[in-house]
Amino acid sequence: MTASEPAPPTPTTPTATDADAATLFAELTGREPDGVWSAPGRANLIGEHTDYNEGFVLPFAIPFRTVAAVGVRDDARIRVASTFAEDAVEVALDDLDDLFPTPAGTSPRVPEWAAYPLGVAWALRQAGASGPGVDIAIASDVPVGAGLSSSAAIEGAAASALNDLWSAGLDRVALARIGRRAENEAVGAPTGIMDQMASMLGEPDAAIFLDCRTLDAALVPVGVAEAGLAILVMDTRVKHAHSTGGYRERRASCEKGAEIMGVPSLRDVSVDDLPRAAELMDDVTFRRVRHIVTENQRVLDTVRVLREDGARAIGDLLVASHASMRDDFEISVPELDTAVDAALAAGALGARMTGGGFGGAAIALIEQDAVKSVSDAVAAAFAASGFEAPAVFTVTPAAGAHRDV
């Protein structure tokens, strides 16, 4: 991989979501914003829960985006509003230190949605940035709770805006770190940095091969459309939350496993080390460790296969990844398994859950002309199981965070 950062993405044509954010800003302040910034959600092609274990991931930005219309105030206060919350939240910038960090195991002292942008402002100030008060109006079309990282999209849009308006001069990797700190310490969700890096560094038709230890990143062409394929997202509508106990328990198991193996993180455990790990660990801890170790290898294999043979050859790796998350890491749910199984039965080349698990979405790699047939098959399987109808749609790798207007 290379440590060089990809060129900044080209701003896109303003969208309806941009207009929604600008309209909300005008309603909030009576004037136009000083600018509009946006950042995308992400889907993860492969590499789940490896990020906080300093391993490898292969996410890509998706076309759904969160938009922040932002304007400078004449005082030292910050006010945030969104189209998905009834009331705005306003605090003095100097009071952010009283709100954050959020103690482990507790909820933020402000509504959780507001903790993301306010946490970004707090993390930027902790990093030495300063500037005037701001009003931030947020709108988004990133599905919430679907495992498509609506949270990182909020963080990326807010961080990009404040970086410009406060003249902080931070690069996109540094802004991803700011977003992760906001999520970890302001919101209290013990996530890794994959989501923020994908949202900041995304490029069209490319996935981001990220080393989560060094933060070296390389763009890997996916070539899905060129191969006559499509990526289908199957949102189960089972909402998940990173701040819930299941995520924390999995992370604790990984830390326990690394301690038993005498290494800084599970990044330092190889597939060849697994027989020794099995002798040293209880069954649950071993299976958690086995998922991380084999998932890291699957990411490396997927990158190699994409480069050598193209997207059509990665299906088996996606299937193996889902089985590992279902059986070893135990983060799938019946709806996710149903989506994956139905897509594969309908002809998908590969399918897996994506995101933190315990709900959210799965992805399937399918023929371009099979979008309707696979979508119908997934919907029929959900109906037969008595599940709520899923939301099914295609995505393509898209551009990362940038200023829109």
Side-chain angles (χ1 to χ4, degrees):
M1 291 195 299
T2 175
S4 60
E5 189 178 292
T10 302
T12 54
T13 303
T15 65
T17 311
D18 291 75
D20 290 342
T23 297
L24 178 61
F25 184 91
E27 293 172 352
L28 188 69
T29 67
R31 65 183 184 91
E32 293 185 356
D34 294 322
V36 177
W37 291 258
S38 71
R42 67 97 191 93
N44 194 18
L45 192 61
I46 197 165
E48 227 63 76
H49 287 260
T50 49
D51 57 346
Y52 56 79
N53 288 288
E54 298 187 339
F56 303 103
V57 293
L58 191 64
F60 59 93
I62 60 177
F64 300 96
R65 304 181 73 84
T66 292
V67 176
V70 188
V72 171
R73 296 167 59 110
D74 59 5
D75 58 17
R77 299 182 67 80
I78 180 169
R79 178 170 50 169
V80 294
S82 78
T83 57
F84 44 83
E86 185 173 345
D87 298 320
V89 177
E90 180 177 340
V91 299
L93 287 172
D94 288 343
D95 288 344
L96 291 173
D97 289 340
D98 296 327
L99 294 175
F100 309 121
T102 297
T106 66
S107 298
R109 297 179 181 90
V110 294
E112 185 170 297
W113 72 266
Y116 291 103
L118 293 177
V120 165
W122 168 77
L124 280 167
R125 284 165 59 89
Q126 290 285 305
S130 63
V134 290
D135 287 310
I136 303 176
I138 295 169
S140 180
D141 61 8
V142 182
V144 176
L148 300 176
S149 203
S150 57
S151 57
I154 295 175
E155 293 154 3
S160 298
L162 293 177
N163 187 52
D164 287 353
L165 294 174
W166 287 357
S167 301
L170 299 179
D171 64 25
R172 289 182 292 152
V173 172
L175 293 178
R177 290 180 184 270
I178 292 294
R180 176 179 60 177
R181 185 171 187 187
E183 186 134 354
N184 291 172
E185 299 183 35
V187 180
T191 59
I193 199 169
M194 172 182 68
D195 296 354
Q196 292 81 9
M197 288 288 282
S199 187
M200 294 305 302
L201 299 180
E203 290 286 347
D205 196 35
I208 301 153
F209 180 29
L210 176 64
D211 180 335
C212 294
R213 170 170 284 172
T214 65
L215 296 192
D216 285 351
L219 295 175
V220 178
V222 178
V224 171
E226 183 181 352
L229 302 174
I231 298 173
L232 191 72
V233 174
M234 301 166 287
D235 178 4
T236 65
R237 300 186 187 273
V238 177
K239 302 302 182 186
H240 75 162
H242 280 168
S243 55
T244 56
Y247 197 104
R248 293 180 184 277
E249 290 168 5
R250 298 309 185 278
R251 184 161 185 160
S253 292
C254 293
E255 292 168 352
K256 178 181 177 181
E259 182 179 359
I260 291 171
M261 295 298 288
V263 294
S265 77
L266 293 182
R267 156 68 173 274
D268 302 298
V269 180
S270 72
V271 173
D272 291 339
D273 294 325
L274 288 176
R276 174 171 169 259
E279 295 177 354
L280 296 174
M281 300 173 190
D282 63 87
D283 177 66
V284 171
T285 302
F286 171 67
R287 287 188 291 110
R288 304 299 188 247
V289 168
R290 182 168 60 186
H291 165 70
I292 299 301
V293 172
T294 57
E295 187 80 343
N296 272 326
Q297 187 59 53
R298 281 187 289 270
V299 174
L300 299 176
D301 291 344
T302 300
V303 171
R304 174 183 54 80
V305 171
L306 279 172
R307 288 171 169 166
E308 294 178 359
D309 302 312
R312 284 187 170 272
I314 67 171
D316 288 347
L317 289 161
L318 303 183
V319 173
S321 175
H322 183 78
S324 181
M325 290 184 286
R326 181 192 63 214
D327 301 334
D328 278 353
F329 222 57
E330 296 183 288
I331 55 174
S332 190
V333 295
E335 290 87 347
L336 285 168
D337 295 337
T338 296
V340 168
D341 292 345
L344 292 173
L349 280 68
R352 64 184 289 274
M353 57 152 284
T354 186
F358 308 105
I363 59 170
L365 186 65
I366 64 174
E367 301 288 349
Q368 278 183 351
D369 60 5
V371 171
K372 185 177 187 306
S373 61
V374 176
S375 299
D376 289 347
V378 172
F382 269 58
S385 298
F387 300 146
E388 180 182 354
V392 183
F393 49 88
T394 59
V395 293
T396 55
H402 53 64
R403 183 169 184 166
D404 293 12
V405 179

